[in-house]
């Protein structure tokens, strides 16, 4: 269950810098409907994004729906959900693309119908979205690379288990990590980059195969919640000692960081992502100018700071 204090803090910060809901919708003559189509529904991360979106719906007096496919490998199902949402003729739309290219025809349809599209979490390789509410994933992954380098003594073999190579988050987290290692740490070699679709079981098997192939591996980075837990489980099943760094939070990652089996992770602000997406959609409906990107922030957390109020506010169970 998402901590109420985390939601309240994220929302409080948002409202402190934004317009009030009543001011934004004071002149609305009819109910405003804004559907959000996410990349998945299975991780607690998406439940936290949903909580922020629904809270914004209440604050801005608009109807918000939130759905996504069961797994982040179901591109076709996400496209069907996007099509169904557009058929309801919403006033605006929030979309986190699993596959930017596959979604483009429908996004062009939204544009033609003058339905503003707000990208969230995962950007879209197109100029159709009016803004993107997301983490700076390249910068966040670069920070993960710096932490990994320090923890392994700036030399040795490491691997990356990414969630995909089609979404903007998958690409940016992979590239942010790999590029920082190559640019700053010449004695570290990335021996394998593989993709588990954000699925814990698949990522576990991938990790085990990497560990078998590279007996001297010193560290591994999982690029989202499912990937990170898969890496952790693979390491445990192979009974290996490894520096494991994750992305996002959730109970399993937090427990692993507390007991030392995971060195640390990057956390986003999922409640804030959901909230800012709806807020931006309402502003877009009113014709307000929006920035190209709404940076929702990120933090490194480990055993030393997991209890810090600023960190605890953006973690979720």
């Amino acid at each position: 269950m998402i901590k109420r204090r985390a939601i309240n803090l994220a929302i409080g910060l948002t409202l402190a810098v934004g317009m009030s809901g009543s001011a934004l919708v004071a002149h609305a003559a009819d109910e405003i409907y804004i559907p959000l189509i996410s990349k998945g529904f299975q991780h607690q991360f998406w439940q936290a994004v949903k909580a922020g979106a629904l809270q914004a719906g209440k604050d801005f007096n608009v109807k918000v729906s939130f759905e996504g496919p069961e797994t982040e490998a179901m591109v076709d199902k996400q496209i069907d959900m996007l099509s169904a949402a557009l058929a309801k003729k919403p006033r605006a739309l929030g979309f986190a693309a699993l596959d930017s290219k596959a979604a483009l025809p429908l996004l062009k349809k939204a544009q033609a119908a003058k339905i503003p599209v707000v990208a969230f979490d995962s950007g879209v390789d197109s100029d159709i979205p009016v803004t993107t509410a997301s983490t700076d994933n390249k910068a966040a992954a670069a920070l993960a690379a710096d932490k990994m380098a320090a923890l392994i003594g700036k030399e040795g073999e490491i691997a990356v288990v990414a969630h995909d190579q089609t979404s903007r988050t998958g690409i940016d987290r992979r590239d942010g990590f790999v590029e920082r290692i190559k640019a700053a740490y010449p004695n570290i070699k990335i021996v394998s980059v593989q993709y588990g679709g954000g699925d814990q079981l698949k990522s576990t098997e991938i990790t085990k195969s990497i560990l078998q192939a590279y007996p001297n591996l010193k560290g591994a980075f999982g690029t989202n919640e499912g990937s990170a837990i898969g890496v952790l489980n693979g390491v445990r099943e192979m009974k290996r000692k490894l520096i494991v760094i994750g992305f996002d939070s959730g109970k399993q990652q937090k427990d692993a960081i507390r007991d030392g089996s995971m060195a640390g992770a990057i956390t986003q602000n999922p409640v804030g992502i959901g909230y800012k997406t709806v807020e931006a959609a309402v502003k877009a409906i009113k014709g307000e100018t929006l920035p190209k990107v709404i940076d929702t922030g990120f933090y490194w957390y480990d055993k030393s700071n997991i209890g810090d109020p600023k960190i605890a506010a953006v973690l979720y169970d």
Side-chain angles (χ1 to χ4, degrees):
M1 183 175 180
I2 302 162
K3 294 183 179 68
R4 184 172 296 275
R5 64 193 177 94
I7 296 174
N8 289 341
L9 178 57
I11 290 168
L13 290 171
T14 299
L15 293 178
V17 298
M19 298 177 67
S20 71
S22 58
L24 280 172
V25 298
H27 302 294
D30 56 345
E31 182 178 56
I32 293 174
Y33 172 52
I34 304 171
L36 273 65
I37 310 298
S38 79
K39 289 166 61 179
F41 220 69
Q42 80 279 36
H43 301 317
Q44 288 304 309
F45 174 82
W46 294 115
Q47 298 302 319
V49 176
K50 178 182 178 181
L54 295 182
Q55 183 60 52
K58 292 178 183 177
D59 289 350
F60 296 117
N61 193 29
V62 297
K63 180 181 178 182
V64 173
S65 65
F66 190 99
E67 63 178 337
E70 288 85 354
T71 77
E72 295 178 24
M74 295 181 173
V75 175
D76 290 345
K77 187 163 185 180
Q78 188 193 49
I79 296 301
D80 289 343
M81 289 176 169
L82 178 59
S83 179
L86 287 174
K88 295 177 183 177
K89 299 181 179 179
R91 295 284 299 279
L93 172 80
F95 185 59
L98 281 171
D99 188 324
S100 293
K101 291 180 181 178
L104 272 180
L106 286 173
L107 295 179
K108 288 179 180 178
K109 183 178 178 181
Q111 186 180 46
K114 300 190 185 306
I115 298 170
V117 176
V118 176
F120 68 96
D121 179 67
S122 194
V124 178
D125 292 325
S126 165
D127 60 359
I128 292 174
V130 294
T131 188
T132 300
S134 70
T135 305
D136 184 338
N137 284 290
K138 269 200 164 185
L143 175 59
D146 289 335
K147 296 293 185 179
M148 175 70 78
L151 288 166
I152 67 169
K154 298 185 180 180
E155 63 179 6
E157 297 178 343
I158 61 174
V160 177
V161 178
H163 50 289
D164 65 54
Q165 53 187 326
T166 57
S167 73
R168 198 67 254 167
T169 58
I171 294 166
D172 286 350
R173 290 178 199 171
R174 176 199 65 197
D175 291 353
F177 186 89
V178 170
E179 289 169 6
R180 177 60 64 89
I181 292 294
K182 288 183 176 179
Y185 306 103
N187 295 323
I188 297 177
K189 183 178 181 182
I190 299 174
V191 295
S192 184
V193 178
Q194 295 194 41
Y195 306 91
D199 180 82
Q200 290 186 23
L201 295 177
K202 187 174 181 181
S203 298
T204 297
E205 294 308 310
I206 285 172
T207 300
K208 288 163 67 176
S209 70
I210 293 172
L211 290 171
Q212 288 174 335
Y214 299 97
N216 296 319
L217 199 73
K218 294 177 73 173
F221 172 50
T223 64
N224 76 346
E225 182 181 343
S227 305
I229 297 305
V231 170
L232 188 66
N233 289 341
V235 170
R236 285 171 172 167
E237 289 182 26
M238 295 292 287
K239 297 181 180 179
R240 292 277 291 275
K241 288 188 176 181
L242 213 68
I243 297 299
V244 177
I245 288 177
F247 209 107
D248 299 325
S249 65
K251 186 178 187 304
Q252 286 179 279
Q253 282 199 87
K254 291 192 295 184
D255 288 347
I257 286 170
R258 289 188 181 103
D259 70 24
S261 53
M262 183 177 287
I266 301 292
T267 183
Q268 305 180 79
N269 178 3
V271 173
I273 289 173
Y275 196 97
K276 286 289 188 180
T277 299
V278 173
E279 180 185 46
V282 173
K283 289 183 176 182
I285 291 167
K286 289 182 62 66
E288 296 185 25
T289 301
L290 292 162
K292 185 177 179 180
V293 175
I294 299 170
D295 187 350
T296 53
F298 63 87
Y299 302 92
W300 165 261
Y301 71 104
D302 57 23
K303 198 171 185 177
S304 70
N305 70 347
I306 193 170
D308 185 300
K310 182 173 70 173
I311 300 297
V314 294
L315 301 180
Y316 52 91
D317 288 329

